[in-house]
Amino acid sequence: MNSTSTLHRSHTIDQMDNEQFDLIVIGGGITGAGIALDAASRGMKVALIEKDDFASGTSSRSTKLIHGGLRYLKQFEIALVREVGQERAIVHRLAPHLVLSEKMLLPLIEGGTFGKFSTSIGLKVYDFLAGVEGDDKRVMLSREETMEKEPLVRKEGLRGSGFYAEYRTDDARLTIELIKMAAQHQALSLNYVKAEGFIYDEQQKVVGVKCKDQNSDRSFEMHSKYIISAAGPWVDKLRKKDNSFGGKRLFLSKGVHLVVSRKRFPLNYAVYFDVPDGRMIFAIPRQRVTYIGTTDTPYDGDINHVVTNSEDEEYLLKAVNNMFPDLQLRSEDVESSWAGLRPLIYEEGKSASEMSRKDEIFESETGLISIAGGKLTGYRKMAQRVVDLVVQRFEKEENKRFKDCHTDKIPFGGGPFNGAEDVETYIKALRLRVKEMGLEEFYADYLVYNYGRQTDAVLQQMTHYKDEPEVALARAEVWFGANNELVLRPLDYFSRRSGRLYFNVDTIEPVLEAVLDDFQQYFDWSDSHRQEELELVRRDMHEARYFEYSKT
């Protein structure tokens, strides 16, 4: 093992094994990453572990919206709408290249979920609670104006629409950037490290975690004053390991998204629309594709391997074809898909879609703190609440003080942008540059939305390779990920660092061999290990393209 990244990983494990921490975080999704940044930026000594790759669970499988939750207004969850609405603005300001304003159309269909008057009032309240200003404020459109905005929408029963703003993101990239910012505040974070058990003192209080690095099979222990489990769907499993499972519990809901070519589904704007069963789903344009989701069904299968099935496909395609009848999408139109789990707090007598998305904190008698529920949009406030709790414990029990939360002032993504216009200026300058390097123009948008100003480092590395431009770019991204983003396996890059697996799956095969060659060199793989990683990539491509191979 002679790569810089491998040596760095070994050194990090040594530190985790030998140092005493203020806080250990279990779970490297958006919530855990937010907690690590919050705690480390206040001055705590923090370590975070994730049993797979960062964001490999729920935090790479959401609808990828930083949105205020319009339907929660209808459920009178005013405080939730206000909080997540205000959080949208904060996260957009911190990372305008990652959190992008997305105009949303809400068609008003006779007999649908939202009436015209209630929608007008509701969206106005929504804007007020979220502090929306300027062009992002809601506008009510007539039937004719709606059809002009989006000609594909169903005409039958159409009464008009609401036109308002939400924010689109890449959930996995957001998580990775939080992990990197936490590292800049001296937090130690590692992926592929499993929490196998807990360590207790004489009073049976939890004081550490028994860990196993799944890359090297090395076992080690970490010790800390406080431990937070932010493991998403795995929270209850860790509570069972702590012998503290009881009372409130998780309810796992499965959500599926389908991806089709923008040519086949040429939306002008994102659309939030009714499904005949009373639910609502999104259709969202994203560069060269449009994606559709989500389902909301109870799940009791293997939480480590959640996949799309034919029932999920049928439900979403039927819903889309009902609202956009001229499309008539079929299975063969689906390029890829993803499936994930929402770790909701169980509420007796409610369906999955009716259960609250509020987060809750569980504390066991051993002192293990668990946090679950919540929404992608609310990650920063979730982190603040649970870290505030830890700060209070330090002050009360040890008279030790830390700074107040200030994550609303920490920009991330390789250098701050001064708003969305600054991002667009940067992209426009890059379009000429990528064309000169032999790439299509859309790669400028792709790179900036993934890497922000770090794009310069990726493109500089690309000049070191003599391959075809697309191959050289992929190799440069892998180099950047291995050296800066704890990329350890090809799927870390193809799925969570670049989004190719979901949004551009056809670009994987042409670059796959070159990418595997680089991984083999960086991490000193044997030929058999290389073959295993190849098979894992092909498996996930196979599952993402379920609708193609299931018919053959």
Side-chain angles (χ1 to χ4, degrees), residues 400-414:
K400 188 174 182 180
R401 298 186 180 279
F402 294 98
K403 299 174 186 175
D404 292 335
C405 176
H406 57 281
T407 51
D408 60 337
K409 298 178 179 66
I410 303 176
F412 47 89

Side-chain angles (χ1 to χ4, degrees), residues 50-54 56 190-193 214 234 304 489:
E50 161 60 46
K51 74 180 184 67
D52 293 308
D53 185 28
F54 303 118
S56 57
L190 276 184
N191 47 359
Y192 296 104
V193 173
Q214 300 187 96
W234 292 267
N304 293 303
R489 297 175 179 174

Side-chain angles (χ1 to χ4, degrees), residues 483-523:
N483 285 281
N484 299 280
E485 298 185 340
L486 290 168
V487 165
L488 197 61
R489 297 175 179 174
L491 277 169
D492 301 345
Y493 162 63
F494 285 125
S495 178
R496 291 166 290 276
R497 304 304 187 280
S498 69
R500 288 178 185 246
L501 182 67
Y502 300 147
F503 298 114
N504 218 344
V505 69
D506 288 338
T507 67
I508 295 179
E509 196 65 49
V511 306
L512 183 54
E513 291 298 330
V515 163
L516 287 167
D517 287 345
D518 283 348
F519 270 97
Q520 187 166 14
Q521 177 187 344
Y522 293 158
F523 298 106

Side-chain angles (χ1 to χ4, degrees), residues 206-225:
V206 64
V207 293
V209 182
K210 297 175 182 178
C211 306
K212 185 171 185 179
D213 175 31
Q214 300 187 96
N215 184 55
S216 65
D217 284 336
R218 175 180 171 182
S219 294
F220 63 98
E221 295 182 350
M222 289 197 294
H223 292 82
S224 175
K225 183 66 178 176

Side-chain angles (χ1 to χ4, degrees), residues 265-327:
F265 192 177
L267 275 185
N268 295 324
Y269 300 97
V271 182
Y272 185 38
F273 60 96
D274 281 288
V275 180
D277 66 4
R279 293 189 64 253
M280 296 190 72
I281 65 174
F282 294 96
I284 301 170
R286 186 185 192 273
Q287 297 175 42
R288 58 166 294 278
V289 302
T290 298
Y291 65 96
I292 307 144
T294 179
T295 58
D296 202 350
T297 54
Y299 185 81
D300 60 2
D302 182 0
I303 65 176
N304 293 303
H305 192 209
V306 186
V307 296
T308 305
N309 60 38
S310 57
E311 289 79 13
D312 302 321
E313 168 208 24
E314 182 180 353
Y315 177 86
L316 289 175
L317 291 182
K318 184 177 179 180
V320 169
N321 289 332
N322 179 68
M323 180 52 66
F324 306 94
D326 293 339
L327 281 180

Side-chain angles (χ1 to χ4, degrees), residues 20-131:
Q20 174 74 25
F21 294 93
D22 294 317
L23 179 66
I24 293 172
V25 183
I26 303 173
I30 190 74
T31 306
I35 292 167
L37 174 57
D38 190 316
S41 65
R42 297 196 202 196
M44 287 188 198
K45 192 170 185 178
V46 178
L48 178 148
I49 56 171
E50 161 60 46
K51 74 180 184 67
D52 293 308
D53 185 28
F54 303 118
S56 57
T58 301
S59 296
S60 60
R61 298 163 185 266
S62 72
T63 306
K64 306 182 188 297
L65 287 175
I66 299 290
H67 68 111
L70 180 61
R71 72 182 183 85
Y72 309 130
L73 188 62
K74 192 172 182 181
Q75 296 169 349
F76 300 103
E77 297 195 50
I78 303 298
L80 179 62
V81 174
R82 178 188 291 112
E83 179 174 292
V84 296
Q86 292 170 350
E87 284 300 300
R88 292 185 319 176
I90 291 172
V91 184
H92 173 62
R93 173 169 49 79
L94 297 176
H97 68 291
L98 262 177
V99 181
L100 315 169
S101 181
E102 180 83 54
K103 284 295 188 180
M104 188 81 65
L105 195 71
L106 175 65
L108 304 175
I109 304 295
E110 194 168 337
T113 301
F114 290 94
K116 198 163 188 176
F117 178 75
S118 62
T119 299
S120 177
I121 298 300
L123 285 175
K124 191 168 185 176
V125 172
Y126 187 64
D127 282 355
F128 172 75
L129 291 173

